[in-house]
Amino acid sequence: MNFAKPLPNYLVKRYHGWKATTYSENQVWYRRLATEGQRPRAMVISCCDSRVHVTSIFGADQGEFFIHRNIANLVPPYAPDGDHHGTSATIEYAVTALKVAHLIVLGHSQCGGVQGCIDMCKGQAPQLEAKESFVGRWMDILKPKFDLVADVEDSTDQARQFERQAVVASLENLMTFPFVSAAVEDGSLSLHGLWTDIGEGGLMCYDPQENKFVAV
């Protein structure tokens, strides 16, 4: 196996800097995490986008959040078909093994995955429509929601509304998982939908009663 290369030098330097400062000053805490295991209070499903930094937004330390990231922070419907399901497996572990109290779906502005889905729905992304496109098939999860924003004329406003619909779609799909719906119904788990504006640092929370996102 000769295709794996040494770590880039800038990352090596950053690691040694972290080990000499942050780790060195908190060795007891890190060793406790290692020996006692993790007990996160919340799971966060967020986008892979490098600009979305969940732990920074909430000032979280190691061990606080169980985090899963994927394209456009989407949750697929429950499908126990024996195939490979990374997102579903993570949710199952968080809810049934770690027994998190909160499950948060975090969407964001300028989401490339959501924009790709818009382009597909408008017939402007043949590369994503191709059968072999993993991104395109993943974004198919969101396609049914496009009718809700199809008539929005301003492209920026349309994208932002669709980004929020991605959060709502994920919340709806979460409730198709029997172990999630059971935990929600018995009060041991609460679901939360959030959307953050990267440029402004804003955070909005989904209000299911009003069916809209409101500022936090």
Side-chain angles (χ1 to χ4, degrees):
M1 187 168 65
N2 58 4
F3 52 81
K5 303 297 182 183
L7 197 63
N9 190 53
Y10 80 96
L11 292 179
V12 173
K13 288 182 177 179
R14 289 187 182 184
Y15 161 70
H16 286 297
W18 169 82
K19 187 70 180 294
T21 55
T22 303
Y23 175 80
S24 179
E25 295 165 3
N26 298 278
Q27 289 186 48
V28 173
W29 171 242
Y30 281 103
R31 288 171 179 166
R32 180 179 298 174
L33 285 175
T35 57
E36 296 182 3
Q38 60 172 326
R39 294 185 181 86
R41 297 172 62 185
M43 175 183 182
V44 181
I45 299 173
S46 65
C47 186
C48 295
D49 194 304
S50 61
R51 299 167 296 176
V52 180
H53 204 246
V54 178
T55 52
S56 293
I57 292 174
F58 294 105
D61 290 325
Q62 286 84 351
E64 286 194 65
F65 287 166
F66 188 67
I67 300 174
H68 177 72
R69 303 180 72 153
N70 63 38
I71 299 294
N73 42 264
L74 289 174
V75 172
Y78 179 67
D81 54 11
D83 209 338
H84 305 295
H85 295 280
T87 296
S88 301
T90 311
I91 294 167
E92 178 184 9
Y93 187 73
V95 175
T96 65
L98 297 177
K99 300 189 183 303
V100 295
H102 306 281
L103 206 168
I104 301 166
V105 178
L106 175 65
H108 70 96
S109 61
Q110 289 83 40
C111 181
V114 170
Q115 184 59 54
C117 190
I118 291 175
D119 294 340
M120 276 201 298
C121 291
K122 292 182 177 180
Q124 299 171 353
Q127 72 281 6
L128 294 178
E129 291 285 8
K131 181 180 179 181
E132 62 270 18
S133 173
F134 293 112
V135 174
R137 303 296 64 72
W138 181 250
M139 294 312 302
D140 283 344
I141 296 170
L142 183 56
K143 268 187 172 181
K145 289 287 186 181
F146 185 70
D147 287 344
L148 298 175
V149 303
D151 295 331
V152 179
E153 295 182 1
D154 181 79
S155 59
T156 299
D157 188 31
Q158 183 183 59
R160 292 206 166 185
Q161 288 190 36
F162 206 32
E163 288 159 0
R164 294 166 191 168
Q165 286 301 324
V167 174
V168 176
S170 290
L171 291 174
E172 292 173 349
N173 286 342
L174 277 169
M175 288 299 289
T176 67
F177 288 75
F179 47 84
V180 171
S181 60
V184 170
E185 289 167 8
D186 69 22
S188 61
L189 175 69
S190 60
L191 305 183
H192 311 273
L194 302 176
W195 177 88
T196 182
D197 186 316
I198 292 173
E200 300 298 325
L203 187 66
M204 304 187 79
C205 183
Y206 179 62
D207 181 344
Q209 301 302 320
E210 298 292 333
N211 191 28
K212 66 179 183 180
F213 283 75
V214 296
V216 173

